[in-house]
Amino acid sequence: MKAILCKAWGGPETLVLEEVASREPDAGEVKIRVRAAGVNFPDVLIIQKKYQIQPALPFSPGAEIAGDVLSVGTGVMHVKPGDKVVSFCGVGGFAEEVIAPANVTMPMPPGVPYPLAAIFSLAYGTSWHAVRDRAALQAGETMLVLGASGGVGLAAVEIGRAIGARVIAAASTDEKLAICKQHGADALINYSREDLREAIKRESGGKGPDVIFDPVGGKFAEPAFRSIGWRGRYLVIGFADGEIPALPLNLPLLKGASIVGIFWGEFAKREPQLNMKGLAEMMTWMREGKIKPLISKSYVLADAPQALMDMAARKVIGKIVITP
Ligand SMILES: NC(=O)c1ccc[n+]([C@@H]2O[C@H](COP(=O)([O-])OP(=O)(O)OC[C@H]3O[C@@H](n4cnc5c(N)ncnc54)[C@H](OP(=O)(O)O)[C@@H]3O)[C@@H](O)[C@H]2O)c1
């Protein structure tokens, strides 16, 4: 079977497509024919040894997939060969086949196409855990989303809207902001053109947002935090900008505000039932038309390096998918 391989730490251009031996699953594992794999920013980081998890070389990136079960290891009862499944495999998804742990593999929701099933868990799971579970965003509150047209950003915009909050989307281009508006944002800030603090003040009626969702970090974190409302919750999602910001601790004191760290992969492992509750709630919202995940582009397996280059170059809107 063919697989995209990371054989040495480096950027997406160092990835190679190779024929590799197929193996059978061990106990507690499932072998899956990959039909679609979601692309996420952590895939860009993991191949450069810049992610929390560092797999042994060589490995295939690709954290989440949808596909068909080929075979199961001993002890696996909840899925069988021929079943359509989704899996949060962590790595290995950019390949024709993946061996995934059974405990992160579940039956695909009926009627959902492979690409949509593949891109849903990580981005929407992260944003639900952050916005609904950790920040407990309420109807009528205001949430600012930075990097709002990206994978987790656009998911946060939709979730905020589904909850009934007022959502302020901030992004770097008007094209990206137009997509945020289509997906439910009430107000828009172009942070490559406007002063972020002034714009937040204007769009939150001088009060400051109750919740700030930040997957970008870098130079926007401090001005955003300085603008947060009383009892605000600042969600630390990631650092797509590349720089991990440092905040003076007098700022949360002055606003009675919380800094809330988010690590979805660990949450999904430690609290699988709550994670499933979140995914189920969002499936309901999807059926009701309250959320409409955007897959803006599909790439064949050989173009997976290009997909990661596009993501690193800030060219992606919503979600992108690899279809082997
Ligand atoms: N904590 C968790 O559990 C968790 C889970 C998933 C992802 N994450 C993290 O969340 C972040 C976003 O992930 P994603 O999959 O949503 O990525 P994405 O789709 O590429 O979105 C990232 C957004 O960040 C903005 N950005 C600003 N500076 C950037 C730069 N130098 N390079 C690339 N993007 C830049 C871009 O929007 P503008 O151009 O509009 O600024 C882009 O839309 C990443 O840091 C990722 O590691 C964390």
Side-chain angles (χ1 to χ4, degrees):
M1 66 111 176
K2 288 194 173 58
I4 291 287
L5 289 181
C6 173
K7 298 172 98 173
W9 306 112
E13 69 287 351
T14 63
L15 296 171
V16 289
L17 178 67
E18 283 189 8
E19 191 69 34
V20 297
S22 175
R23 74 163 173 92
E24 283 311 300
D26 289 333
E29 292 181 335
V30 182
K31 181 173 167 179
I32 305 162
R33 156 90 51 218
V34 179
R35 299 295 184 187
V39 182
N40 296 282
F41 206 85
D43 301 322
V44 178
L45 299 176
I46 203 167
I47 59 172
Q48 300 178 69
K49 211 180 181 182
K50 288 183 179 168
Y51 195 56
Q52 293 96 320
I53 298 156
Q54 291 161 6
L57 298 171
F59 71 95
S60 298
E64 57 177 352
I65 62 103
D68 306 316
V69 175
L70 292 171
S71 54
V72 299
T74 49
V76 178
M77 312 296 282
H78 69 298
V79 292
K80 59 179 186 320
D83 284 358
K84 292 179 173 187
V85 289
V86 286
S87 184
F88 175 62
C89 46
V91 288
F94 297 169
E96 288 176 334
E97 296 170 7
V98 65
I99 303 274
N103 62 1
V104 292
T105 302
M106 62 220 93
M108 220 165 93
V112 176
Y114 291 116
L116 183 54
I119 59 93
F120 197 65
S121 311
L122 206 153
Y124 279 81
T126 298
S127 299
W128 185 93
H129 171 47
V131 173
R132 185 78 152 155
D133 176 27
R134 301 298 310 286
L137 179 71
Q138 302 296 312
E141 286 192 314
T142 299
M143 173 168 67
L144 167 70
V145 180
L146 304 177
S149 74
V152 294
L154 202 58
V157 168
E158 291 197 321
I159 291 166
R161 193 58 201 266
I163 289 170
R166 174 177 159 77
V167 178
I168 305 170
S172 62
T173 70
D174 291 343
E175 185 203 358
K176 289 182 171 186
L177 288 168
I179 299 286
C180 297
K181 190 162 197 258
Q182 281 170 21
H183 285 258
D186 299 283
L188 308 173
I189 297 174
N190 182 328
Y191 50 43
S192 50
R193 211 173 48 214
E194 299 182 73
D195 176 78
L196 187 59
R197 287 206 69 188
E198 284 298 316
I200 295 172
K201 200 170 167 186
R202 180 188 74 227
E203 297 302 346
S204 64
K207 224 177 107 237
D210 301 291
V211 172
I212 296 181
F213 182 97
D214 182 7
V216 179
K219 65 177 192 274
F220 294 132
E222 188 169 332
F225 199 96
R226 283 184 183 277
S227 310
I228 204 165
W230 176 246
R231 282 182 182 261
R233 290 86 82 200
Y234 194 95
L235 296 165
V236 181
I237 309 295
F239 316 105
D241 174 75
E243 185 203 323
I244 299 178
L247 289 174
L249 277 180
N250 65 318
L251 299 181
L253 181 153
L254 291 170
K255 296 288 182 70
S258 316
I259 299 173
V260 184
I262 300 300
F263 187 178
W264 178 76
E266 200 56 29
F267 161 70
K269 254 188 250 157
R270 288 173 185 255
E271 301 177 56
Q273 285 178 346
L274 189 52
N275 181 46
M276 290 309 293
K277 187 179 160 197
L279 295 176
E281 180 172 48
M282 291 187 288
M283 282 291 164
T284 306
W285 286 342
M286 203 159 22
R287 277 194 296 275
E288 292 170 354
K290 289 184 177 165
I291 60 175
K292 292 182 184 141
L294 169 66
I295 300 176
S296 58
K297 196 165 173 187
S298 176
Y299 299 71
V300 295
L301 187 58
D303 291 338
Q306 186 61 50
L308 294 187
M309 280 182 231
D310 288 349
M311 183 156 268
R314 249 165 134 165
K315 289 183 183 161
V316 168
I317 294 186
K319 296 293 305 173
I320 55 175
V321 72
I322 312 279
T323 47

